[in-house]
Amino acid sequence: MEILEVLTSMAKTGRLGPVFSGADWSDVTAALGEPWEIGTMGRNRKWPRLFAYGDLELSVCRCRKVSLICVQTWRDVVELPPSVVDGTGTFPAGLSHGDVISALDKAGCSWEPYAPLTFADQCSLVVIPTAANFTFEIPEGQEPVLNVMGLPGDGHDCNVKRRQNSGSGSLSVELAR
């Protein structure tokens, strides 16, 4: 399997093997083993935490669900868990904008430019069905090169606890620490 096949499959399905937004963390670690722990996503909180399987990075919320997924492609080599990509899991990087667009078109993934992440020396596109995002660095005088591919979160927010007010029946929101 080639890296473009892996990324277009992720963009089309919203998953890489057992990894998808909302996946139970225990299912992911049972399938892929223990990851590298990168750390917390904020200074004063224990969760969410960032973990990695090579260049596959996962944010896991305190309810132990995968909340964000990205594949770092800016290095010379992209490393992904071999068990979910058939083969060694090691791929050459340096994917051009044209190659990514061609692969998405070939896979039947409709896409459009993504303006919020397009500026100065970077451009981005989003795959319509899954909201997968491909962000490219634009080296001076060269074609854009893929920097990162990401799958969006599932929208839940474990930092918010909802509870019923006992007297009024209204719903109140309280930040969890």
Side-chain angles (χ1 to χ4, degrees):
M1 185 174 268
E2 299 294 322
I3 188 66
L4 278 173
E5 292 174 283
V6 172
L7 298 179
T8 55
S9 175
M10 285 178 68
K12 195 171 188 173
T13 65
R15 64 184 310 138
L16 178 63
V19 178
F20 58 92
S21 290
D24 188 88
W25 186 234
S26 63
D27 293 341
V28 173
T29 57
L32 301 180
E34 290 302 315
W36 303 333
E37 184 166 355
I38 297 173
T40 63
M41 303 281 288
R43 289 183 184 187
N44 298 325
R45 298 186 186 267
K46 292 181 181 181
W47 296 94
R49 300 190 75 75
L50 190 60
F51 297 93
Y53 292 95
D55 292 308
L56 173 65
E57 294 182 0
L58 309 172
S59 176
V60 178
C61 68
R62 68 186 178 132
C63 70
R64 306 313 189 266
K65 300 283 185 190
V66 174
S67 56
L68 291 172
I69 302 160
C70 72
V71 176
Q72 300 294 339
T73 60
W74 55 269
R75 298 174 178 96
D76 292 333
V77 173
V78 177
E79 294 181 17
L80 299 174
S83 62
V84 295
V85 295
D86 298 330
T88 66
T90 302
F91 305 94
L95 302 170
S96 75
H97 187 266
D99 289 342
V100 171
I101 287 173
S102 178
L104 291 172
D105 289 345
K106 183 179 176 183
C109 289
S110 57
W111 59 272
E112 63 187 24
Y114 188 61
L117 291 178
T118 299
F119 47 84
D121 61 350
Q122 139 176 337
C123 64
S124 186
L125 61 89
V126 63
V127 173
I128 306 304
T130 61
N133 180 270
F134 291 80
T135 300
F136 301 82
E137 175 185 5
I138 307 172
E140 193 171 327
Q142 297 178 32
E143 183 177 9
V145 177
L146 187 61
N147 189 279
V148 65
M149 182 272 189
L151 296 172
D154 63 358
H156 82 278
D157 183 2
C158 286
N159 290 327
V160 177
K161 285 185 183 176
R162 297 180 189 269
R163 64 181 171 154
Q164 199 74 17
N165 256 354
S166 56
S168 66
S170 66
L171 188 65
S172 67
V173 177
E174 145 189 335
L175 288 180
R177 298 254 179 228

